[in-house]
Every structure is written in C-alpha cells, then in structure tokens.
Amino acid sequence: MNFFKRLFSKNKGEDVEQKVAAEQKAAAEQKAATEQKAAAEQKAAAEQKAAAEQKAAAEQKAATEQKAAAEQKAAAEQKAAAEQKAAAEQKAAAEQKAATEQKAAAEQKAAAEQKAVAEQKAATEQKAAAEQKAAAEQKAAAEQKAAAEQKAATEQKAAAEQKAAAEQKAATEQKAAAEQKVTAEQKAAAEQKEFKKSNTKEKKAARLDKSLKKTKTGFFSRLSKAIAGKSKVDVEILDELEGVLISSDVGLETTVKIIERLEAKVAEDKYINTSELNQILRNEIVDLLSENNTEDVADFIPPGGDVHPSIILVVGVNGVGKTTTIGKIAYQYKMRGKRVVLGAGDTFRAAAVDQLKIWSERVGCDFYSKGMNTDPAAVAFETVNYAINYGCDVAIIDTAGRLHTKINLMRELTKIKNSISKRYPNAPHEVLLVLDATTGQNAIEQATHFTNATDVTALALTKLDGTAKGGVAIGISDQFKVPIKYLGIGESIDMLQVFNKRQFVDSLFKESEQFSK
C-alpha cells in the first residue's frame, strides 16, 4: 500500500511540474509576441522618422542648390562687370602706350639726327687726325730709315773692324798656340830627357841607398856591436841578431823565421864566420821575399796586363802619404806616355778633394770629382766611366782614410769595389794599400785591418827616407803574403820607385864592410 501511495505521490508531482512548465512556456510565448509587436512598432516609427528626415534633407538640398544658383548668377554678373572694366582699362593703357611710343619715336628720330650730325663731325675730325698721323708716320719712317741706314753703316764699319780684330786675334792666338805647343813640346822633351837622365839604374840605386841610410846606420851599427870580437857565428851572435832584427821592426814572426834558417845553416856548416853572415843573411831575406809573392818589377807597368783602362783602387789611413803616392804614381805613368785620370773618392776629409786636384794639375793628368760629402762608391763608378769614355790608360781612385771598425771598413770598401765591378767587370785590377814606414809595427796593425776588409793585392811603403824602421818592409811582406810594389823614398814628385827585392836587400847590406871590422 505504501508502494501505491508512493507511486501516486510521484505521478501527482510530475503532473504539477508539467503544468508549471506549460504555463511558463505560454508566458514566454506571450512575452515574445509582445516584444515582437513592440519591435514592429519601433521599426515602423524608425522608418517613418527616416522618411521625414529624408524629406527634410531633400528640401534642404533644394534650398542649397537654389542659393548656389543665385550666387553663381551673381558671380557671373560680377565677372562680366570686371571683364568690361578690364577691357576699358586695357584700351586706355594701349592708347597711353601708343602715345608713349609715338613720343619715343619722335625723340629717337631727333637723337638719330643729332647722332648723325655728331658722327659726321667726328668723321671729319678723324679724317683730319688720320691725315695728320699719316704725315707724322711718314716723317718718322723717313727719320727711321735715315737712322737705320746710319746704324747699318756704323754696324758694317764695326763688323769690319771686329772681323779685322778677330783675324788679328786669331793670328796672334794661333801664333801663341804654336809657340806654346813648341814650348810645351820642348818642355816635355826636356822633362822626358831629365826624367830619363834621373831615372837611370845607377841614379835609382843611389836614391834608394840614400833613403835607407837611417835604417842601415841603425841596423848595422847595432849588428857590428853584437859581433865585435867574434870569429864565428854561434848561438850568442844569433841571439844578438834576433834582437837587432826585432828592434829594426822586422817583426817577431819574421825574425824567428830568419833566425831559424840561420840556425839551420850554422848547424849544417859548422865553421861559418862572422864575415860570411852578411851574405847568408842577405840571401835568406831575398828568399823570404820571393816566397811571399814579391816579384821584381823593372818599371811602372799598369796592372791588368793589356786591359784599357787599368783601374787602381788606393786604400790606407789618413797621414800615411796616400794622396802624395797617388800623385807620384800618376806622374810616373804620365812620363811614360799614359793618359791618367785621378778619382777623388775621399769625399769626407777636409781638403782631400782639393789636394788631389792640385796633384792632377801638377802632373798634368785628368781629374774627376763630385765634390765633398758625396757617395765614394758613386765617385768610383763615374771615374771608371770617365776613363772608359775618354780613352784613359789608367784610373787611380782615392778612398776615405778613416780607419773605422772592421765591419764598417769592410762594408765601405766592398761597396766601392762592387760599384767599380758593376761598370767594368774584373776591376779593380789592383788594390794598393799605402803604409807609412815610420810607424813601424803600427803599419803592420793597419795592414791587418785592411787585408781583412778587402783583397789587398799590392803594398806601397812611404817615408823610407825618414825612418830607421825600414825593416818593416820585410815583416809586412812576410806576414801578409802581399807583394811590395812601390817605395816612397823622398818628397819630390819623382821620389817613388818600384820595389825590387834584390836591389832593396843589396842596398840594405851595402854597409857590409862593417861586418868584417
């Protein structure tokens, strides 16, 4: 029963809910119909309002267009009035312009007539001036012609006088030149004769003897004291001789060689006496010089054989007599008929260029210089070029005499040699080192620097006449294996001799009688 009760209650509740839902639906539909009606009424009102607004806008537009038409009509009337006024003003302006142009034409006509009168007057005056000018020019031309004729006559007279003077001068100069040539030839012949006369074998030997006097006096006086009272050569005498040779600046190494050879001779020949020491010592020194590439030279012969020109590069420190030696060598070649040029490559020492130029003038040979403080290598190059272009037989090139550090000296001399070789392959044909004999062992020190710096091929020893240290010639030649080529034996220009080892040694030992006393 409870079940049916619950079931009844449930069905009843569902019926109520259904009813409520139906009522809610009806209310919603009624509300929607009301809202739809209101929307339709609202739409009708809006359309009625829009129609009213559209009508009002059409009426306003019609009023605006009517107003615009009225304004356009007024503007057209105003424009027509303005154009009518402008046409009236333009007509007035045209009439005024025509009046102005008419007035200007009248004035222009009056001015033209006035100008024509003025031009006619000016033409008349110009014609008168032209006639006056023509008369003046004609008069000036006549005067100029007269002056030209007078000038021509004067110039002709002067030319004739000048020609006569020139012919007279030419004749005088020709005569002077002929006389000068004869004098020069006579002088050259006399100099040549005197040169040959003063350069005989006997005269050269006598000059060499005289130049070695101090060396011989010192050497033999000390040697004679060393062997005084001795009958034969023994160890004691050899020790004394060693000291004499060293004190004569022969040099320690060379002295040791000579003494060792003498010791061998003494050991071989038991009974060598002091009188024989002279000849034995002489022969040993000659042999030593022969071993050191020193060849006997008979005369001044350009190096390089048959090459032309021969290039000589001269090196040495300042003060050794380098420039003087160059001048003396140039003189010797000049006296033998050679054409010589001196190149002033010592461009740094004050007056070096001038001194060499003076020597060239004194000798009578060519001279090339680029002045002070120029590149020595460039001077060397251009001196060689000069010698080739002008047909010189010998070119002697001076170099700076500054004894720098070994590296700088090498660089400078190498640069000069390369410059010469660049212009003339295989040149220089001789690198001559000039040494001062009076400096003794210092000359050997200089030779060391220069032989290390460049390929010295020959030596020149100067001032032999002023020193007792002539023995340095033997030591230098022995130590450096470089031949001695020239000896400076005095200050005058002809006091330079080629080195002959036998002649030199014979001259050195001419006081041999001192041995036997």
Side-chain angles (χ1 to χ4, degrees):
M1 182 161 180
N2 289 330
F3 170 75
F4 288 108
K5 189 178 182 178
R6 287 193 298 274
L7 180 62
F8 178 77
S9 298
K10 180 179 179 184
N11 291 332
K12 188 178 181 180
E14 289 176 354
D15 290 337
V16 173
E17 289 175 356
Q18 249 176 359
K19 186 178 180 181
V20 170
E23 291 174 353
Q24 286 177 342
K25 182 179 179 185
E29 289 175 350
Q30 188 176 2
K31 181 180 179 183
T34 303
E35 289 176 351
Q36 190 174 9
K37 183 181 179 183
E41 292 174 350
Q42 190 174 1
K43 180 180 178 184
E47 287 176 351
Q48 189 176 3
K49 182 180 178 182
E53 289 176 349
Q54 191 173 7
K55 183 181 179 183
E59 291 175 350
Q60 188 175 3
K61 181 180 179 184
T64 302
E65 288 176 350
Q66 190 176 4
K67 182 180 178 183
E71 289 175 349
Q72 191 173 7
K73 183 181 178 183
E77 291 175 351
Q78 189 175 3
K79 181 181 178 184
E83 288 176 350
Q84 190 175 5
K85 182 181 179 183
E89 290 175 349
Q90 190 173 6
K91 182 181 179 183
E95 290 174 351
Q96 187 176 1
K97 180 181 178 184
T100 302
E101 287 176 349
Q102 190 175 2
K103 182 182 178 182
E107 291 175 349
Q108 191 173 6
K109 183 181 178 183
E113 291 173 351
Q114 190 176 1
K115 181 181 178 184
V117 173
E119 286 176 349
Q120 190 174 3
K121 182 181 178 182
T124 304
E125 292 174 348
Q126 190 173 6
K127 183 180 178 182
E131 291 173 350
Q132 189 176 1
K133 181 181 178 183
E137 287 176 349
Q138 191 173 2
K139 182 181 178 183
E143 291 174 349
Q144 190 173 7
K145 182 181 178 182
E149 289 173 350
Q150 188 176 1
K151 182 182 178 183
T154 304
E155 287 177 349
Q156 191 173 1
K157 181 181 178 182
E161 291 174 350
Q162 191 173 4
K163 182 180 178 182
E167 289 174 350
Q168 188 175 0
K169 182 182 177 183
T172 304
E173 287 177 348
Q174 191 173 2
K175 182 181 178 182
E179 291 173 350
Q180 191 173 5
K181 183 180 179 182
V182 171
T183 303
E185 289 173 350
Q186 288 176 345
K187 183 182 177 183
E191 287 178 350
Q192 195 77 21
K193 184 178 179 181
E194 183 61 30
F195 179 77
K196 289 180 179 178
K197 183 179 177 182
S198 64
N199 278 273
T200 61
K201 187 176 179 181
E202 294 76 14
K203 290 284 181 70
K204 288 191 283 188
R207 288 199 293 265
L208 182 61
D209 291 343
K210 185 178 178 181
S211 70
L212 291 174
K213 186 174 181 180
K214 289 185 179 181
T215 297
K216 291 188 289 187
T217 300
F219 179 78
F220 288 110
S221 64
R222 288 193 293 271
L223 189 58
S224 62
K225 290 178 183 177
I227 65 175
K230 304 292 179 66
S231 59
K232 72 173 186 174
V233 177
D234 55 17
V235 175
E236 185 179 350
I237 286 181
L238 292 177
D239 288 343
E240 292 289 346
L241 178 58
E242 183 176 9
V244 171
L245 290 171
I246 291 173
S247 64
S248 297
D249 274 295
V250 173
L252 180 59
E253 292 182 18
T254 305
T255 297
V256 169
K257 284 185 183 179
I258 294 171
I259 296 301
E260 285 177 350
R261 295 185 183 203
L262 289 176
E263 286 176 342
K265 285 283 184 183
V266 171
E268 183 181 340
D269 301 324
K270 300 294 183 179
Y271 301 105
I272 293 177
N273 58 44
T274 54
S275 62
E276 295 175 304
L277 183 59
N278 171 21
Q279 189 60 44
I280 295 171
L281 185 57
R282 181 191 308 209
N283 291 338
E284 290 301 330
I285 292 174
V286 171
D287 290 343
L288 190 67
L289 290 172
S290 298
E291 294 168 8
N292 298 334
N293 302 319
T294 299
E295 299 179 0
D296 289 342
V297 181
D299 201 358
F300 285 83
I301 302 171
D306 295 330
V307 297
H308 290 281
S310 293
I311 311 300
I312 303 172
L313 184 64
V314 184
V315 300
V317 301
N318 292 332
V320 297
K322 183 158 55 72
T323 306
T324 301
T325 300
I326 291 172
K328 289 180 178 180
I329 295 173
Y331 170 75
Q332 293 291 341
Y333 284 135
K334 183 73 166 48
M335 295 306 294
R336 286 160 177 77
K338 306 295 184 183
R339 183 172 180 179
V340 184
V341 58
L342 304 185
D346 186 358
T347 61
F348 300 107
R349 182 171 63 88
V353 174
D354 293 338
Q355 287 175 3
L356 196 66
K357 181 174 175 58
I358 290 170
W359 268 106
S360 71
E361 293 170 350
R362 185 178 177 188
V363 171
C365 65
D366 294 16
F367 176 74
Y368 184 82
S369 168
K370 289 171 70 69
M372 289 287 294
N373 300 316
T374 53
D375 182 9
V379 175
F381 179 93
E382 293 182 29
T383 300
V384 174
N385 193 55
Y386 180 98
I388 293 171
N389 292 339
Y390 289 91
C392 296
D393 299 297
V394 182
I396 308 175
I397 302 170
D398 192 11
T399 61
R402 301 168 299 163
L403 189 59
H404 302 307
T405 63
K406 182 178 176 182
I407 292 175
N408 288 336
L409 178 64
M410 185 180 296
R411 285 175 180 168
E412 186 170 308
L413 292 178
T414 300
K415 184 180 176 183
I416 292 172
K417 283 189 66 178
N418 290 342
S419 180
I420 292 172
S421 299
K422 185 177 180 181
R423 179 62 185 89
Y424 193 13
N426 301 320
H429 305 102
E430 181 172 88
V431 178
L432 180 68
L433 173 60
V434 181
L435 298 171
D436 182 351
T438 65
T439 60
Q441 290 301 301
N442 190 38
I444 293 179
E445 180 68 19
Q446 292 173 24
T448 301
H449 280 286
F450 279 97
T451 53
N452 288 338
T454 189
D455 297 325
V456 175
T457 60
L459 300 175
L461 289 179
T462 64
K463 308 177 187 179
L464 274 174
D465 57 313
T467 181
K469 300 178 180 181
V472 73
I474 302 167
I476 288 174
S477 179
D478 175 55
Q479 287 189 41
F480 299 101
K481 309 302 181 188
V482 177
I484 299 169
K485 190 167 185 179
Y486 303 114
L487 297 177
I489 57 174
E491 293 183 3
S492 63
I493 195 170
D494 60 343
M495 288 298 181
L496 184 74
Q497 290 187 188
V498 293
F499 182 78
N500 181 294
K501 57 180 179 293
R502 171 57 67 181
Q503 187 182 46
F504 177 80
V505 175
D506 286 347
S507 178
L508 189 65
F509 281 87
K510 269 190 179 177
E511 307 296 332
S512 59
E513 63 271 13
Q514 294 186 20
F515 279 100
S516 58
K517 293 182 181 179

